[in-house]
Amino acid sequence: MKKGINIGIIGFGNIGTAVVHYLRENTTLINTRAGTEIQIAKIADIDLERPRDVKVEPSLLTTDAESLINDPSIHIIIELIGGIEPARTYIESAIRNKKSVVTANKALMAECGAELLALARSNNVQLRFEASVGAGIPIIRSIQQALAANYITAIYGILNGTSNYILTAMAQEKKEFSEALADAQARGYAEPDPSFDVEGIDTAHKIAILGSLAFKQDIKFSDVHIEGITQIEHTDILYAAELGYTIKLLGLARIDDQQNVEVFTHPSLVPQDSLLAAVNGVYNGVMIEGTPVGRQLYYGEGAGKGSTASAILSDVISIARWMTTPSVATEKGVHISEEELPSIPVGYKKVKPIDELEVPYYFRFSVIDRPGTMARLSKILGDNDISIASMIQKTINPMNYATLIIVTHRANESAVRKAVNEITALDICEKPPLILRVLELT
Amino acid sequence: MKKGINIGIIGFGNIGTAVVHYLRENTTLINTRAGTEIQIAKIADIDLERPRDVKVEPSLLTTDAESLINDPSIHIIIELIGGIEPARTYIESAIRNKKSVVTANKALMAECGAELLALARSNNVQLRFEASVGAGIPIIRSIQQALAANYITAIYGILNGTSNYILTAMAQEKKEFSEALADAQARGYAEPDPSFDVEGIDTAHKIAILGSLAFKQDIKFSDVHIEGITQIEHTDILYAAELGYTIKLLGLARIDDQQNVEVFTHPSLVPQDSLLAAVNGVYNGVMIEGTPVGRQLYYGEGAGKGSTASAILSDVISIARWMTTPSVATEKGVHISEEELPSIPVGYKKVKPIDELEVPYYFRFSVIDRPGTMARLSKILGDNDISIASMIQKTINPMNYATLIIVTHRANESAVRKAVNEITALDICEKPPLILRVLELT
């Protein structure tokens, strides 16, 4: 094995092949910036036979991931298999074997990020995960470094390219959800089983990671209230547009007036003049609000081979520079890099239950079109302290049901749920109403 | 003097007071992340009498900037006076005295950045300048670190909040340039003498800095072809909108097909569906295109106290961490931080003269409205290899002059200049035509 930094890649799929491809294509650049030679020592995958876009010497390939983790000549493990196990075990073992780790694994970081980062710190190695959220968009580095002097009060955005592609196609090509999903699947933007993306799970993983970093508080995936986009109809997009909004699936983490943490994933009505409304297709966009920096947007390809490889390779360069910077141990025996700024106990309260949320709401009711319906419905809203900001009633379908769109002023989530249950119990609704939330820009 | 990192601030205006304010307001956060106590040792300004938003002990204040530079207890100088001299002399002396420097000085970094960075490197101190472009938008850090594995092929965007505020007001409030400028001045967004902003000089400073970093090639302010926005009329904004564009003042640096560097500052017709077209008011937005990362946008407040203080204080934190990380000298005797990645000789050719530019153009002609005018004009365009993509002729003014708007396909700049000179010589034009360029998104 030559002198330099040796990397082992576990998981040789699309992203793994892209990492190898760009490590070769940009090799001079990468080695110069790393200050050393970055070499691929070994690549592990369960399937070595399937065709791949890059050619590698057969001697580099193995089906035995543990042989990489136990190889003392390997300095950095790049974990690209995804999911909790065996990724977690591999990463823990690699860290215990004093290897730094680069991962794109959002599920794992959302579930066990704090524990893994602590393990890395106590073993004096690096665990980097820029690729896990927004791929090559440097949102994690920016929170950790560029915004280090800020209290971040909110971070929210479009974190899942698949669902954003679907919502964009529904809006621009006037498609229903199922058609847009089929189109996304045909183009390779959605998996055969798309539930991780369209049910909001992927977004929830990412907002748990971003919220934890932004607020320096361990937010788990299980803390995130999750709603997906499967109930959105083309008609909702039209009504939203008429009211000045675009519908986007957002991950949101923010500190409310009482210093509670809110963490949600749900489709939102986003004001059309917000930059987030202009984030279309498979792109991601993340807004950050901080003091003193104000509001910022970070935008780019949030998935895909090139963008993900960019994040992984930049993390590798950074670890290589950290490894090759001669240093003596700190007081705690740990060589700290700038990427892991110390946490401070800001002391935000616990994650707020969704019941306590207060935002404006969008309702789509399909109600019997007869006198008195509107009076009964609006009485229930009023009795629950929900006031109407705007309303559209237009479509009358052949069954004498009218579609009624209501956007409210700020209301309490549990009051909204109660009111909607009461309205549903009246037996004036054709089907359960759709409830969406409206993003307020301050 | 207590233990910790002592900073000296030269220039106690709006930004200087904001730095002191947020250093106090976010003190726990900043000290924790810096890993040490950041203390203001001394503040120098030529005017100590004028009222300021923060109170500081009189003993901290001095009119003698050199006393800070020569004070051995001060570790970091924050230079906030702007302009070339005496800022350059102060920074050079501070570096020679082994102090790190944080500056927001775009003019200086555009003129002498490479020399000052080399001086800092040879003195084993840091020179940081994130605040010089886009204030708290982490565009410089992102080029240096997050995109370290990328070849950047283009960087362009809205880099001057004043001119963007004026263009936004012209578009949204149907104002002429002079009215919008007066409005910006009344709100404090434009200086009494606005020429640095509206003539494109500020943008040119910033794009010289960004181009140098992105392409690892020293691009000086004098390399930048500069045009401002003073000739834009409200009517141009209307015509551009009709053709699907928004007019924005852009700084652009890109590598063309022949590996030449293009660096320009000029108003551009930006496609309305580009995110840049949605960057309004005093906000800045910077697009980067790189391989493998694809296209990204960085958006935020590009000026102002809070955003600029965020950049400066994050640079201070980073230097403090670098200073307090125990380390031994490298082979070259220099303690390198990740912010100064080694340059590699990419070998781009020289900065291309504007004559060789090839982009689509927008012309506004005011021509005599009589038979044959269009034939003579379009013959000259055709003879110069300029083909028309779209055209609007609408307004006929009382003097029998018609306004004629032409957007061309890609044409050569010198051919365009030649054709326009020939057309002007025909004596069919009421006044010199306006020539703008069109941003092509690939």
Side-chain angles (χ1 to χ4, degrees):
Chain A
M1 201 61 69
K2 285 179 288 178
K3 205 178 145 227
I5 302 282
N6 296 316
I7 62 174
I9 299 174
I10 302 180
F12 198 37
N14 272 337
I15 304 300
T17 50
V19 167
V20 173
H21 173 79
Y22 288 109
L23 194 50
R24 289 175 181 170
E25 185 154 295
N26 292 3
T27 183
T28 312
L29 184 87
I30 289 168
N31 288 339
T32 308
R33 292 189 180 167
T36 183
E37 204 174 327
I38 309 287
Q39 294 146 175
I40 299 165
K42 212 86 191 176
I43 301 170
D45 197 279
I46 47 172
D47 176 2
L48 300 180
E49 302 305 320
R50 91 184 109 126
R52 289 179 169 91
D53 286 344
V54 293
K55 281 196 181 166
V56 292
E57 278 178 55
S59 65
L60 290 181
L61 296 170
T62 175
T63 54
D64 179 11
E66 294 193 9
S67 69
L68 277 63
I69 292 164
N70 294 317
D71 182 339
S73 77
I74 290 178
H75 305 98
I76 302 173
I77 292 287
I78 301 178
E79 182 274 304
L80 298 171
I81 52 176
I84 305 297
E85 286 296 349
R88 180 183 184 159
T89 303
Y90 289 162
I91 290 177
E92 285 179 351
S93 305
I95 290 171
R96 290 212 172 84
N97 287 347
K98 310 296 180 196
K99 299 182 196 311
S100 287
V101 173
V102 177
T103 178
N105 193 328
K106 55 218 145 204
L108 183 62
M109 290 308 293
E111 301 268 13
C112 332
E115 295 81 351
L116 292 172
L117 285 165
L119 187 68
R121 219 169 291 126
S122 67
N123 281 278
N124 198 16
V125 295
Q126 300 277 319
L127 170 61
R128 298 294 186 87
F129 51 102
E130 182 66 75
S132 67
V133 183
I137 303 170
I139 189 66
I140 290 172
R141 275 177 190 263
S142 294
I143 294 172
Q144 306 272 63
Q145 297 178 44
L147 303 177
N150 287 264
Y151 282 100
I152 295 172
T153 50
I155 182 162
Y156 54 97
I158 295 162
L159 301 172
N160 179 267
T162 304
S163 53
N164 201 49
Y165 179 86
I166 291 170
L167 289 171
T168 304
M170 288 174 73
Q172 294 182 348
E173 296 160 34
K174 306 187 200 323
K175 288 182 171 155
E176 283 300 343
F177 174 80
S178 56
E179 296 169 86
L181 170 60
D183 172 38
Q185 286 170 323
R187 288 166 188 264
Y189 293 151
E191 302 286 332
D193 175 359
S195 48
F196 252 60
D197 295 316
V198 299
E199 300 287 4
I201 295 164
D202 177 76
T203 299
H205 283 138
K206 292 168 178 169
I207 198 63
I209 295 171
L210 293 182
S212 299
L213 294 170
F215 307 143
K216 305 291 170 200
Q217 185 140 331
D218 186 20
I219 297 169
K220 297 285 190 201
F221 171 67
S222 55
D223 291 324
V224 187
H225 174 89
I226 308 173
E227 296 172 23
I229 61 165
T230 56
Q231 291 188 71
I232 311 283
E233 297 178 4
H234 178 58
T235 184
D236 294 308
I237 289 170
L238 292 180
Y239 286 122
E242 197 170 330
L243 296 162
Y245 297 99
T246 304
I247 299 179
K248 295 289 185 189
L249 178 62
L250 299 186
L252 302 101
R254 61 189 161 197
I255 306 300
D256 76 4
D257 297 344
Q258 280 80 45
Q259 301 286 95
N260 295 301
V261 177
E262 296 179 352
V263 203
F264 304 114
T265 291
H266 55 65
S268 286
L269 274 71
V270 175
Q272 271 165 351
D273 60 355
S274 158
L275 271 191
L276 274 184
V279 174
N280 286 320
V282 294
Y283 279 82
N284 282 194
V286 188
M287 283 276 187
I288 294 192
E289 293 173 9
T291 303
V293 83
R295 180 180 293 153
Q296 300 192 319
L297 177 80
Y298 298 75
Y299 164 92
E301 293 177 25
K305 296 191 290 186
S307 185
T308 309
S310 168
I312 291 167
L313 291 170
S314 297
D315 278 349
V316 168
I317 289 171
S318 177
I319 294 173
R321 290 182 64 80
W322 171 83
M323 286 178 62
T324 55
T325 300
S327 76
V328 295
T330 66
E331 285 165 45
K332 294 174 190 155
V334 178
H335 180 182
I336 297 163
S337 91
E338 209 188 331
E339 274 69 25
E340 330 161 56
L341 294 173
S343 295
I344 57 158
V346 180
Y348 297 123
K349 297 176 197 161
K350 279 200 72 72
V351 173
K352 191 158 91 174
I354 184 91
D355 283 354
E356 297 172 19
L357 188 65
E358 297 212 349
V359 294
Y361 288 80
Y362 164 102
F363 303 132
R364 175 181 20 96
F365 292 106
S366 182
V367 289
I368 293 172
D369 189 20
R370 70 178 174 224
T373 297
M374 187 61 209
R376 295 168 73 194
L377 190 149
S378 51
K379 182 172 186 306
I380 291 175
L381 294 179
D383 288 349
N384 284 287
D385 254 347
I386 299 162
S387 76
I388 296 173
S390 47
M391 196 168 70
I392 304 174
Q393 180 179 340
K394 265 189 184 169
T395 318
I396 297 172
N397 71 21
M399 303 296 285
N400 282 331
Y401 285 96
T403 297
L404 182 67
I405 304 296
I406 292 174
V407 171
T408 74
H409 290 293
R410 240 182 221 226
N412 169 267
E413 173 93 14
S414 63
V416 163
R417 298 277 165 196
K418 180 165 166 285
V420 167
N421 285 340
E422 288 172 22
I423 290 166
T424 309
L426 286 184
D427 214 24
I428 57 170
C429 297
E430 185 196 12
K431 54 184 175 182
L434 177 71
I435 307 171
L436 300 177
R437 296 175 194 84
V438 179
L439 180 70
E440 291 179 294
L441 294 179
T442 45
Chain B
M1 203 59 70
K2 284 178 288 178
K3 206 180 144 225
I5 303 281
N6 296 316
I7 62 174
I9 299 174
I10 302 180
F12 198 36
N14 273 337
I15 304 301
T17 51
V19 167
V20 173
H21 173 78
Y22 288 108
L23 194 50
R24 289 175 180 169
E25 185 154 297
N26 292 2
T27 183
T28 313
L29 184 87
I30 290 168
N31 288 340
T32 308
R33 292 189 178 165
T36 182
E37 204 175 328
I38 308 288
Q39 293 145 175
I40 299 165
K42 212 87 190 176
I43 301 171
D45 196 279
I46 46 172
D47 175 2
L48 300 180
E49 303 305 320
R50 93 184 106 123
R52 289 180 168 91
D53 286 344
V54 293
K55 280 194 181 167
V56 292
E57 279 177 55
S59 65
L60 290 181
L61 296 170
T62 177
T63 55
D64 179 12
E66 293 193 9
S67 70
L68 277 63
I69 292 163
N70 294 318
D71 183 340
S73 75
I74 290 178
H75 305 99
I76 302 174
I77 293 287
I78 302 179
E79 182 274 306
L80 299 171
I81 53 176
I84 304 297
E85 284 297 348
R88 179 183 184 158
T89 303
Y90 290 161
I91 290 178
E92 285 179 351
S93 305
I95 290 172
R96 290 211 173 86
N97 287 345
K98 310 295 178 195
K99 298 181 196 315
S100 287
V101 173
V102 177
T103 179
N105 193 327
K106 53 216 146 207
L108 183 61
M109 290 308 293
E111 300 268 12
C112 332
E115 296 81 350
L116 292 172
L117 285 165
L119 187 68
R121 218 169 290 126
S122 67
N123 281 278
N124 197 19
V125 296
Q126 299 277 319
L127 170 61
R128 298 293 186 89
F129 51 103
E130 182 65 76
S132 68
V133 182
I137 304 170
I139 188 66
I140 290 172
R141 276 178 189 261
S142 294
I143 294 172
Q144 306 271 65
Q145 298 178 44
L147 303 177
N150 287 264
Y151 282 100
I152 295 172
T153 50
I155 182 161
Y156 54 97
I158 295 161
L159 301 172
N160 179 267
T162 303
S163 53
N164 202 49
Y165 179 86
I166 291 170
L167 289 172
T168 304
M170 288 174 73
Q172 294 182 350
E173 296 160 34
K174 305 185 198 326
K175 287 182 172 155
E176 283 298 344
F177 174 79
S178 57
E179 296 169 86
L181 170 60
D183 172 38
Q185 285 170 324
R187 287 166 189 264
Y189 294 151
E191 302 286 331
D193 174 359
S195 48
F196 252 58
D197 295 314
V198 300
E199 300 286 4
I201 296 164
D202 177 77
T203 299
H205 284 138
K206 291 168 179 169
I207 198 64
I209 295 171
L210 293 183
S212 300
L213 294 170
F215 308 142
K216 306 291 170 201
Q217 185 141 330
D218 186 20
I219 298 169
K220 297 286 190 197
F221 172 68
S222 55
D223 291 323
V224 186
H225 174 90
I226 308 173
E227 297 173 23
I229 60 166
T230 56
Q231 291 187 73
I232 310 284
E233 297 178 4
H234 178 60
T235 185
D236 294 308
I237 288 170
L238 292 180
Y239 286 123
E242 197 170 331
L243 296 162
Y245 297 99
T246 304
I247 299 180
K248 295 289 185 190
L249 178 62
L250 300 186
L252 302 101
R254 60 189 161 198
I255 306 300
D256 76 3
D257 297 344
Q258 280 80 45
Q259 299 287 96
N260 295 302
V261 177
E262 296 180 352
V263 202
F264 303 114
T265 290
H266 56 65
S268 287
L269 274 71
V270 175
Q272 271 164 353
D273 60 356
S274 158
L275 269 191
L276 275 184
V279 173
N280 286 320
V282 294
Y283 279 82
N284 283 193
V286 187
M287 284 276 188
I288 293 191
E289 293 173 9
T291 305
V293 83
R295 181 181 293 152
Q296 300 192 320
L297 177 81
Y298 297 75
Y299 164 92
E301 292 178 26
K305 296 191 291 187
S307 185
T308 309
S310 168
I312 290 167
L313 291 170
S314 297
D315 277 349
V316 168
I317 289 172
S318 177
I319 294 173
R321 291 183 62 81
W322 172 82
M323 286 178 62
T324 55
T325 301
S327 75
V328 295
T330 66
E331 285 166 44
K332 293 172 190 155
V334 178
H335 180 180
I336 298 163
S337 91
E338 208 188 333
E339 274 69 24
E340 328 163 57
L341 295 173
S343 295
I344 57 158
V346 180
Y348 297 124
K349 297 176 197 162
K350 279 198 73 72
V351 172
K352 190 158 92 173
I354 184 91
D355 283 354
E356 297 172 18
L357 188 65
E358 297 212 348
V359 295
Y361 288 80
Y362 164 101
F363 303 132
R364 173 178 25 92
F365 292 107
S366 181
V367 290
I368 292 172
D369 189 19
R370 70 178 174 222
T373 297
M374 187 60 210
R376 296 167 72 194
L377 190 150
S378 51
K379 180 171 188 306
I380 291 176
L381 293 180
D383 288 349
N384 285 287
D385 254 346
I386 299 163
S387 75
I388 295 173
S390 47
M391 197 168 69
I392 304 175
Q393 180 179 341
K394 265 189 184 170
T395 317
I396 298 172
N397 70 22
M399 303 296 286
N400 281 333
Y401 285 96
T403 298
L404 182 67
I405 303 297
I406 292 174
V407 172
T408 73
H409 290 293
R410 240 181 220 227
N412 169 267
E413 173 92 15
S414 63
V416 163
R417 298 278 165 195
K418 180 164 165 286
V420 166
N421 285 340
E422 288 171 23
I423 291 166
T424 307
L426 287 184
D427 214 24
I428 58 170
C429 295
E430 183 196 15
K431 54 184 176 183
L434 177 71
I435 307 171
L436 300 177
R437 296 174 195 84
V438 178
L439 179 70
E440 291 179 294
L441 292 180
T442 45

